[in-house]
Amino acid sequence: MKPGILLIFLTISVLDRLSPGDGANLPQENLETKCKGYCFTILKPFLDNAVLPKSADDANNELSGQVTGGNSKDLQNQLAIAELQIKSKETISTLQGQLANAECQVKLKDLIIVKDKEIHEKTEQIKCKEDLIKLKDKEIDVQNEQIKYYNEKVNNMTEIIRNLQTQLANAEAQIKINDKEINDKCEHLKNNEDQIKEQINQIKNKAEEVITKSNAVKDLSAQISTKDNQINGLNNRIKSVSEELLKYNGTDECPKSGPSGIYVLKVPGNVLMEVPCNSTGWIVVLRRQDGSVDFERSWKEYKEGFGNLTGEFFIGLEKLHQLTKRQPHEVYIKIVDVHGEVRHAQYDNFKVSYEENHYHLDSVGTYSGTAGDSLSYSSGRYFTTIDRDNDGNGSNCAKSYSGGGWWYNSCSYSYLTGKFYKDGTSPSQTGINWYHYRNDYTTSFTYVEMMIKPKLL
């Protein structure tokens, strides 16, 4: 077989083994550039050994010689071979390009597989990185929540510290107030030292009198033999005790010294009245100690007075008017809480008007003491009871709160006629209150005395 025909068959065989679609979509300029270096190397051995057809002129000359020397059939065969050789040259040129493209496609396919594998690996790495990023984001979220939680803790602690600082400041202020009160108490105790000594002596004297009287009763009991004598002796004894308890002083003042007891005073108009006097010359005009007397009373009762002069009582508005109208009086208010703490408030110009003026509290004077000033607020006010509203604020304070009569002023800082609470605590403004004692209305005092005496000029 001719070498040219053999080359044609070899080329066709190589093309059949190649995938016709490989590299079909690749750009032509890339194929030529990338495959030029190795595709042509593969075909070169075949091309070097191939017997290329002669040129057209040589073929014609040869054909002419053959026509001259040969028969017609041989000429036809030679002509066909010559034409085939010419076509083979064109086919070889075309096949060379196709072989180059085919080999390039095979190489590119392998490169693409390798690159796909690398891309897959890179994709897996990227996915792993993304998972790590998500995990870090979760950790950051957790840390942010923790930061938020600790920030809230810090804010709470800051608020607690601020409250503690406020409480500390309040405590320091209260300590200063307590120091002042302690100093006032010490001064008051010092002033009362002589009174205490005198009271001790009085107690001793009373004890001696009791012993003497007890002995007298024993002697008297032994001497009495009959019932009539016992009755006569008891009557005489009652008369003697009555004379000792009920003393006529002849003035409108209590004795400045002497035993406490019920005295008879003469007020302007030669009116005699029984009043309880203490050993230092004070007239007790109101006393609360056990809740045995109801202070929710009418106007008439507050005018005349009620209760027991040796227990709980109110002396009466008319007597207060009569006692204070002739000259200025001091008023001394003693309050004791359920724990036994004693405070006092003293005013130097206490005066009560007459009934037609609704027993107006004309003045109280200047305050001094340890209980706080809760009475000045009532100065210049009319007296109000549950059945006589004179407070002028549109609502009867006596009805609204304690039920007791008082000089109300929308309504008041003091309620010495309020309800008695044994536990020392009351609903707001219903008990025996003195607001400035602790700046509240819930402390209800278990012992109160209100006393007056003429002011020393």
Side-chain angles (χ1 to χ4, degrees), residues 115-131:
K115 292 298 180 182
D116 285 343
K117 185 176 180 181
E118 291 178 356
I119 290 170
H120 179 71
E121 291 176 353
K122 293 295 182 182
T123 302
E124 290 297 324
Q125 291 176 0
I126 291 170
K127 184 178 179 182
C128 182
K129 293 293 184 182
E130 288 177 347
D131 292 339

Side-chain angles (χ1 to χ4, degrees), residues 96-115:
Q96 286 175 348
Q98 291 178 354
L99 283 172
N101 290 338
E103 281 296 324
C104 184
Q105 289 173 359
V106 171
K107 294 294 183 178
L108 287 176
K109 186 176 182 181
D110 292 339
L111 286 173
I112 289 170
I113 291 172
V114 172
K115 292 298 180 182

Side-chain angles (χ1 to χ4, degrees), residues 5 36 53 56 88 101 114 128 158 209 225 233 284 307 311 371 379 383 432:
I5 297 172
K36 188 174 183 181
S88 295
N101 290 338
V114 172
C128 182
T158 301
E209 288 179 8
S225 59
V284 183
S379 181
F383 201 86
I432 304 172

Side-chain angles (χ1 to χ4, degrees), residues 23 36 82 100 104 173 182 196 199 203 208 224 230 249 299 313-314 325 337 342-343 367 370-371 387 454:
K36 188 174 183 181
C104 184
I182 290 171
I196 293 171
Q199 289 176 355
I203 292 171
E208 293 175 356
I224 295 174
Q230 291 177 354
N249 194 41
W299 178 267
F313 77 98
F314 177 65
K325 75 176 183 178
D337 68 11
V342 181
R343 301 281 183 93
Y367 161 80
T370 60
D387 60 341

